[in-house]
Amino acid sequence: MRVLVVGGGGREHALCWALQRDAPDATLFAAPGNPGTAALGTNLPIAATAVADLTAAVVQHDIDVTVIGPEAPLAAGLADRLRGAGRAVFGPSAAAARLESSKAYAKEVMRRAGVPTAASATFAALGPALDYIRTHAEPLVVKASGLAAGKGVVVCATRESAADAARAMLAGNALGDAGKEVVIEEFLEGEELSILALTDGERIVLLPPAQDHKRLGEGDTGPNTGGMGAYCPVSLTTAPLLARVRRDVLEPVLREMATQGAPYEGVLYAGLMLTGDGTPYVLEFNCRFGDPEAQAILPALAPGLTTHLVDIARGGWRPASDIIPPTRAAVTTVLAARGYPEKPERGAAIRLPSPEDLGSDVVVFHAGTSRDPDGTLKTAGGRVLDVTGLGADVPAAARASAAACERIAFEGKTWRRDIAWREIRRAGAA
Ligand code: AMP
């Protein structure tokens, strides 16, 4: 089997790692990949959004199955193009990926499907947006409808700051086209949780729940980032809660997508807020594995994910159970470059102990790294490495991750020592 993973971050390294663990005889390609995926297969120097070039490469290299990591190529229609060329692909069509690429559309789907979500309204013009803000209670959340690489959501304590955010997006071009339409919604209070499901549009298999850490600083302080860490599983997800998310969120959304002529297949990722009364409200949908959630979830699973991805891509998926339980806990800590997320420094040499040296309870995924011709590994992006610790429980996995992070060195290394703090606090209280 010849498999192509599209993308070049930590998530794609984790996907390649899982594919190789499951199917050691498979031939792996990544586009564009990174030094981590280069160690597992062949990197093709093609950007993840170069839809025509990727389609040509799939034919040229006779790829059996393509797994698309990031949202941008999905929104750009890569899955449609590959399917049109008769190729098996894991990932939704551009029409279905609008669940992520248009928050306004996602809200409309949820409204039609009766999915619990924050009360909201969508605006393309500033005047009506300001009227809405004036007549609604603080705090408010202003969201760019389009893809904004994690920068599109502004939580506003006051109406004044909400008006500023709406003005910046709708009149000030702050986020380009992504902010030409905004969703303004009520602020929800609670604990956030990520539920990822594999689906072929009808069947649903839940992956272990995860929680990510968006803020740069310890104690969830500082600016928002793409994610500074994640862990799995999350003990506050009980079986009844998962059943409720399946019944009240995932199933109705899949039905509505089919009704709209945009059947959904791939990973459906629901970003949830558990409010005081325990209702899971949807904050957002993602149409792919999360990054860095995948780097925690995939190592926590027993081998076997590949069969699901391949069978969904090829059709004829018949999963034996409706949930894939974790076999161990995993905590992923992101090692970022100094200056991340605003202006990450690049080009620092990385000292990375060998896998044998780090031990069997640690897996390191490359995110923003590059390798010089002489073999030197260097920082080449905001998030540099994802360090996943494994253990019987989350506290043990967190210790393994933090110990490994201490041993990896590069100038400007920036990381949070408190990934999974909520779960560790719960474990301590239990
Ligand atoms: P989103 O991309 O929509 O998930 O938003 C990014 C982050 O903004 C979420 O992970 C939450 O921390 C926060 N957020 C989004 N919507 C809301 C809301 N309605 N109430 C409170 N926080 C929110």
Side-chain angles (χ1 to χ4, degrees):
M1 185 170 58
R2 298 164 73 80
V3 184
L4 169 66
V5 173
V6 174
R11 164 184 49 213
E12 288 74 31
H13 186 188
L15 283 164
C16 287
W17 175 90
L19 289 162
Q20 202 208 32
R21 183 175 67 152
D22 290 352
D25 296 335
T27 305
L28 292 181
F29 296 83
N34 63 35
T37 63
L40 303 173
T42 305
N43 284 350
L44 305 175
I46 308 173
T49 47
V51 171
D53 292 349
L54 288 168
T55 307
V58 164
V59 173
Q60 183 197 336
H61 295 282
D62 200 17
I63 302 294
D64 296 301
V65 179
T66 301
V67 179
I68 303 174
E71 58 277 21
L74 291 163
L78 179 59
D80 308 74
R81 279 288 283 274
L82 291 173
R83 281 194 196 101
R87 299 283 165 164
V89 51
F90 181 82
S93 67
R98 285 184 73 210
L99 265 188
E100 174 168 3
S101 63
S102 168
K103 286 185 190 288
Y105 176 72
K107 281 289 189 181
E108 180 61 20
V109 168
M110 287 191 269
R111 193 185 59 75
R112 287 173 189 256
V115 170
T117 186
S120 74
T122 297
F123 302 95
L126 183 58
L130 295 177
D131 289 342
Y132 181 90
I133 290 168
R134 216 172 290 125
T135 53
H136 284 77
E138 304 168 339
L140 285 163
V141 184
V142 179
K143 302 183 172 186
S145 181
L147 293 180
K151 296 199 177 91
V153 175
V154 190
V155 177
C156 305
T158 63
R159 287 194 200 92
E160 205 182 337
S161 55
D164 288 345
R167 218 173 272 120
M169 291 183 203
L170 289 172
N173 203 32
L175 292 165
D177 284 350
K180 290 289 165 246
E181 187 176 46
V182 301
V183 172
I184 304 180
E185 68 180 30
E186 73 177 311
F187 176 81
L188 299 173
E189 194 120 40
E191 186 154 351
E192 288 182 54
L193 187 68
S194 301
I195 302 285
L196 283 73
L198 304 175
T199 182
D200 61 356
E202 284 177 39
R203 297 162 197 84
I204 296 170
V205 170
L206 296 181
L207 296 171
Q211 209 166 39
D212 73 348
H213 299 62
K214 287 268 181 251
R215 300 294 201 92
L216 180 68
E218 288 171 15
D220 294 324
T221 56
N224 260 317
T225 70
M228 292 298 290
Y231 72 92
C232 129
V234 185
S235 64
L236 55 91
T237 20
T238 57
L241 176 65
L242 286 178
R244 192 164 170 188
V245 170
R246 177 189 293 275
R247 185 195 64 201
D248 295 348
V249 175
L250 302 171
E251 289 175 352
V253 163
L254 292 183
R255 275 197 299 272
E256 178 60 27
M257 295 302 287
T259 304
Q260 300 219 358
Y264 191 99
E265 60 177 279
V267 172
L268 182 55
Y269 170 142
L272 303 170
M273 184 73 87
L274 296 183
T275 56
D277 66 359
T279 303
Y281 284 86
V282 176
L283 295 181
E284 63 161 347
F285 287 114
N286 293 326
C287 58
R288 31 87 199 172
F289 286 102
D291 185 340
E293 292 88 331
Q295 293 90 304
I297 293 173
L298 302 188
L301 305 177
L305 181 75
T306 300
T307 309
H308 292 283
L309 303 190
V310 169
D311 288 357
I312 290 172
R314 288 181 168 158
W317 185 45
R318 294 290 176 274
S321 67
D322 59 12
I323 194 158
I324 304 180
T327 57
R328 50 190 178 175
V331 173
T332 301
T333 306
V334 172
L335 298 182
R338 184 161 50 213
Y340 178 71
E342 285 307 318
K343 263 187 106 177
E345 291 172 14
R346 291 158 196 261
I350 302 170
R351 196 167 54 74
L352 179 61
S354 70
E356 298 72 34
D357 194 3
L358 286 170
S360 60
D361 59 352
V362 173
V363 193
V364 176
F365 298 113
H366 291 242
T369 68
S370 65
R371 207 177 277 287
D372 281 354
D374 70 358
T376 309
L377 193 65
K378 291 202 166 151
T379 64
R383 293 187 290 175
V384 177
L385 294 166
D386 306 315
V387 181
T388 299
L390 300 160
D393 55 25
V394 168
R399 285 193 295 276
S401 175
C405 287
E406 296 283 6
R407 298 190 52 211
I408 299 169
F410 59 86
E411 176 62 27
K413 180 177 81 170
T414 302
W415 58 294
R416 285 180 58 167
R417 289 171 172 75
D418 68 343
I419 302 303
W421 65 268
R422 286 192 181 80
E423 187 69 25
I424 292 166
R425 192 171 66 183
R426 274 193 291 273

